[in-house]
Amino acid sequence: MAGQAEAHGPHQNLGFNLAAIAVLMALLGLGGAYLLDGAGRSARTQPHRLDAETTLTRTLGGADLEIPRSWFRYEEQRIEGFAKEIDLRLELPLADNGKLVAIDVTLLPRSRVRPSASLLDGVYLHQFVPEQLSGPPGLVGKPLKPTEGYADETVWYDPLSAEPFVTKCSSAISGKSGGQCLRTVYLGPGIAAIYAFPEAALMHWRDFDPMLGDRLKQIGAL
């Protein structure tokens, strides 16, 4: 009998070891499952966190605008909530050979500004000098009288359109490569935009509003 007990001893130890290994493997498998589940949850929730970080909601002129953080010109405007004015900077291929040009866009309520096309007949026309400048094909350049703050400024406009492209440009400041232009337009209900851009971009003036319009539609301003 003692021999039989001694004969069963090694088998019992082997069985115990196998059982322990099985329990250990089960625990490891369970731990791995929790890790995979946690990774899956993280992967599913991460895009929402990224979206919240890169897009901000600003309310202007009765519209909620979803604006990428990288579009804001000033860091202090990278917050959510109501805004009296929003300053953006967009880069568009409006230079020669498709080079990017920085366009500063200021969004504000319509009630604060008049569009450039309205100013053409209501203000600028009465300040034109007889001289006419040649420039971008399709546009007429008329210098303004050096009074009422219009010194060294020229209005460029499309004379053939019922809703003309109109912009006012200042002469180049010493040390800069070219003049700077301003154009004001009405966008969606309640919202207007002031565009500030290099005069060189006027060579592609026909593409100017469509390109900017495509960008501003993305955020709900049009």
Side-chain angles (χ1 to χ4, degrees):
M1 295 294 294
Q4 290 179 353
E6 290 175 358
H8 286 296
H11 292 291
Q12 290 175 345
N13 292 336
L14 178 60
F16 176 80
N17 291 338
L18 290 175
I21 291 173
V23 171
L24 180 61
M25 293 299 292
L27 290 174
L28 290 173
L30 184 61
Y34 278 118
L35 288 174
L36 289 174
D37 181 66
R41 291 175 185 271
S42 176
R44 289 192 295 271
T45 57
Q46 187 69 11
H48 298 289
R49 289 200 298 269
L50 287 174
D51 288 344
E53 291 173 358
T54 58
T55 303
L56 299 173
T57 302
R58 302 302 311 268
T59 301
L60 177 72
D64 291 334
L65 309 180
E66 299 291 337
I67 307 173
R69 287 177 60 90
S70 61
W71 288 22
F72 286 92
R73 203 184 322 165
Y74 304 120
E75 179 67 31
E76 59 267 24
Q77 291 192 5
R78 292 174 179 172
I79 57 176
E80 296 198 320
F82 288 93
K84 294 181 179 179
E85 181 176 303
I86 300 173
D87 298 296
L88 310 176
R89 176 162 291 165
L90 305 177
E91 292 190 340
L92 298 174
L94 289 168
D96 292 337
N97 301 318
K99 292 182 179 179
L100 296 177
V101 174
I103 311 293
D104 287 341
V105 180
T106 299
L107 302 178
L108 65 171
R110 281 192 179 198
S111 59
R112 291 177 53 186
V113 294
R114 290 176 63 185
S116 296
S118 172
L119 293 174
L120 177 63
D121 291 331
V123 178
Y124 299 148
L125 183 64
H126 306 290
Q127 300 295 329
F128 286 164
V129 301
E131 180 185 3
Q132 181 169 308
L133 304 179
S134 60
L139 293 182
V140 170
K142 294 291 291 184
L144 297 173
K145 298 175 183 178
T147 58
E148 301 184 26
Y150 293 130
D152 300 318
E153 292 188 329
T154 299
V155 171
W156 295 93
Y157 66 98
D158 171 16
L160 302 179
S161 175
E163 297 182 2
F165 178 95
V166 181
T167 185
K168 180 168 65 70
C169 302
S170 60
S171 300
I173 301 174
S174 177
K176 291 191 174 183
S177 58
Q180 294 292 310
C181 301
L182 290 175
R183 171 166 167 75
T184 302
V185 298
Y186 283 165
L187 300 176
I191 300 178
I194 300 175
Y195 304 138
F197 56 95
E199 190 174 15
L202 286 181
M203 293 303 296
H204 301 278
W205 65 272
R206 289 185 175 88
D207 300 321
F208 190 90
D209 285 344
M211 282 189 180
L212 281 160
D214 287 344
R215 293 291 186 91
L216 296 175
K217 281 180 183 176
Q218 295 177 29
I219 66 174
L222 267 174

